[in-house]
């Protein structure tokens, strides 16, 4: 890896441009960033800002029109590296239907592992463990096509997590789920991160982002901001300019301030917001 030849770097974008065709605008323009091993990065941006294009470039499913993408020290434009890159990078899409390949849930979870040539006992252990964690054991004999969208998304995640990739990208992976289903996906994300995996969480819902983490904001195919959660919450104009809706707690605070409440601090969560309001009301 040239400029980012730090051994701790696992994703490196160097002046990346991507176009889906000659007569369309650039989907990405001059994108530069590095992600370190074990990091948790949240990518946010409005519709069409280039988030999914970045995800596809990371997995080697798209190759930059100009510039370079490296996964660990391998450039994605080299076809010899693609097999290894695609094994190291797991991508959970918004639409789980795209990821179903087998006729039972259990076969679908084990599909990728069988191609790795692991011993059958190891495959069985990993498959059972992941199905237990994602509440899929009760439906293991069912045809995945007839699962609910939430169950399908858990199945898609199971099929990826069971492969133990080094980087997992979640592209709006919980946007079709109810709050409980979204929480299961989020818990799994946290668990994979704890196990040492690098997490790239793509979303436009600021209420579901990890508080306190690194945020990369995309606008019109360019990186508009790359910094801490605290920094961007202190400069919410950037979020509004990118067409994003502020987190619920921030919107409540702003509405209360408009009504004359003097709430100086910006609360990260609803619980913190409630504490601030109680403090204000009781005058302490
Ligand atoms: N298959 C495609 N063919 C042509 N243009 C495309 C294609 N996929 C995406 N684009 C264009 O590339 C740009 C970036 O799209 P992308 O899907 O990466 O955005 P996004 O941030 O993921 O949006 P969303 O929030 O809607 O998922 C958009 O202008 C989009 O219209
Ligand atoms: Mg997208």
């Amino acid at each position: 890896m040239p400029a980012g030849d730090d051994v701790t770097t696992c994703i490196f974008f160097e002046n990346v441009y991507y176009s889906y065709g000659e007569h369309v605008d650039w989907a990405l323009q001059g994108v530069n960033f590095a992600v370190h091993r074990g990091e948790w990065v949240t990518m946010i941006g409005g519709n069409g800002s280039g988030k999914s294009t970045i995800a596809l470039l990371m997995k080697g499913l798209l190759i930059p029109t100009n510039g370079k993408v490296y996964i660990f020290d391998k450039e994605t434009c080299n076809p010899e590296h693609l097999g290894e890159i695609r094994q190291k990078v797991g991508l959970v899409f918004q639409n789980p239907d795209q990821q179903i390949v087998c006729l039972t849930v259990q076969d679908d979870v084990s599909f990728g592992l069988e191609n790795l040539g692991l011993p059958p006992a190891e495959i069985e252990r990993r498959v059972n463990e992941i199905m237990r964690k994602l509440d899929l054991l009760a439906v293991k004999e069912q045809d995945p096509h007839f699962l609910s969208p939430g169950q399908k998304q858990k199945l898609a995640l199971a099929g990826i997590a069971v492969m133990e990739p080094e980087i997992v990208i979640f592209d709006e992976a919980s946007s079709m789920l109810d709050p409980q289903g979204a929480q299961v996906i989020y818990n799994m994300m946290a668990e994979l991160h704890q196990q040492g995996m690098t997490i790239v969480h793509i979303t436009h819902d600021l209420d579901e982002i990890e508080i306190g983490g690194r945020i990369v904001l995309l606008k019109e195919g360019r990186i508009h901001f790359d910094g801490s959660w605290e920094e961007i919450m202190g400069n919410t104009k950037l979020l509004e300019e990118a067409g994003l809706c502020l987190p619920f707690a921030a919107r409540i605070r702003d509405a209360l301030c408009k009504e004359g409440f003097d709430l100086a601090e910006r609360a990260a969560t609803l619980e913190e917001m409630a504490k601030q309001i109680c403090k204000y009301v009781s005058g302490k």
Side-chain angles (χ1 to χ4, degrees):
M1 219 176 290
D5 52 359
D6 180 343
V7 286
T8 66
T9 302
C10 65
I11 303 171
F12 189 64
F13 274 53
E14 187 180 65
N15 204 22
V16 171
Y17 285 73
Y18 188 80
S19 167
Y20 282 94
E22 265 179 39
H23 305 293
V24 291
D25 288 341
W26 290 107
L28 293 178
Q29 304 186 65
V31 170
N32 289 289
F33 67 94
V35 177
H36 297 287
R37 286 177 198 227
E39 218 183 325
W40 178 316
V41 180
T42 306
M43 294 208 146
I44 56 175
N47 292 137
S49 58
K51 305 179 298 294
S52 295
T53 306
I54 286 196
L56 296 168
L57 285 160
M58 286 176 180
K59 174 94 179 158
L61 294 172
L62 295 178
I63 303 301
T65 310
N66 289 318
K68 292 172 177 178
V69 172
Y70 294 88
I71 298 300
F72 296 95
D73 54 348
K74 304 281 191 296
E75 204 183 328
T76 57
C77 72
N78 183 342
E80 283 176 20
H81 296 156
L82 280 182
E84 186 184 335
I85 287 171
R86 290 188 187 150
Q87 200 176 316
K88 285 188 170 165
V89 180
L91 173 54
V92 190
F93 295 101
Q94 178 176 14
N95 182 355
D97 285 316
Q98 292 168 329
Q99 304 174 63
I100 293 171
V101 280
C102 293
L103 289 177
T104 70
V105 166
Q106 181 159 293
D107 288 352
D108 207 82
V109 177
S110 59
F111 176 75
L113 275 186
E114 275 156 16
N115 293 334
L116 289 186
L118 290 171
E122 171 64 5
I123 294 182
E124 200 183 325
R125 188 194 64 74
R126 281 208 212 173
V127 169
N128 277 326
E129 190 183 328
I130 204 76
M131 285 199 300
R132 185 183 52 74
K133 281 185 184 158
L134 288 164
D135 298 328
L136 291 168
L137 282 173
V139 293
K140 68 179 187 179
E141 301 300 340
Q142 282 190 28
D143 181 339
H145 296 92
F146 300 117
L147 298 178
S148 73
Q151 287 169 319
K152 281 182 189 168
Q153 193 55 295
K154 288 183 200 171
L155 170 61
L157 175 52
I160 287 165
V162 83
M163 303 288 288
E164 300 182 355
E166 299 193 37
I167 299 167
V168 191
I169 307 163
F170 293 83
D171 185 0
E172 312 265 7
S174 57
S175 60
M176 287 167 86
L177 308 188
D178 63 20
Q180 259 184 353
Q183 191 60 46
V184 172
I185 301 287
Y186 189 83
N187 292 347
M188 197 65 204
M189 240 186 252
E191 186 175 331
L192 296 175
H193 184 238
Q194 254 184 359
Q195 286 170 12
M197 292 183 200
T198 305
I199 304 291
V200 179
H201 179 199
I202 295 174
T203 181
H204 63 263
D205 181 354
L206 301 190
D207 276 308
E208 66 166 36
I209 67 182
E210 199 210 24
I211 291 164
R214 173 179 171 195
I215 310 285
V216 175
L217 170 65
L218 282 163
K219 189 183 167 207
E220 293 163 6
R222 296 176 190 274
I223 293 189
H224 205 50
F225 169 89
D226 183 351
S228 70
W229 184 89
E230 287 81 2
E231 234 178 298
I232 198 151
M233 287 304 155
N235 188 0
T236 46
K237 207 166 144 258
L238 281 179
L239 297 171
E240 282 159 343
E241 280 170 6
L244 292 167
C245 191
L246 296 185
F248 191 51
R251 280 184 282 144
I252 291 189
R253 172 196 176 269
D254 292 352
L256 287 169
C257 287
K258 261 196 202 147
E259 294 299 324
F261 278 66
D262 182 18
L263 298 170
E265 296 162 50
R266 192 176 281 283
T269 61
L270 280 178
E271 288 73 22
E272 266 182 49
M273 182 82 252
K275 277 187 199 150
Q276 279 188 26
I277 294 172
C278 291
K279 203 166 129 189
Y280 180 84
V281 171
S282 66
K284 286 179 205 153

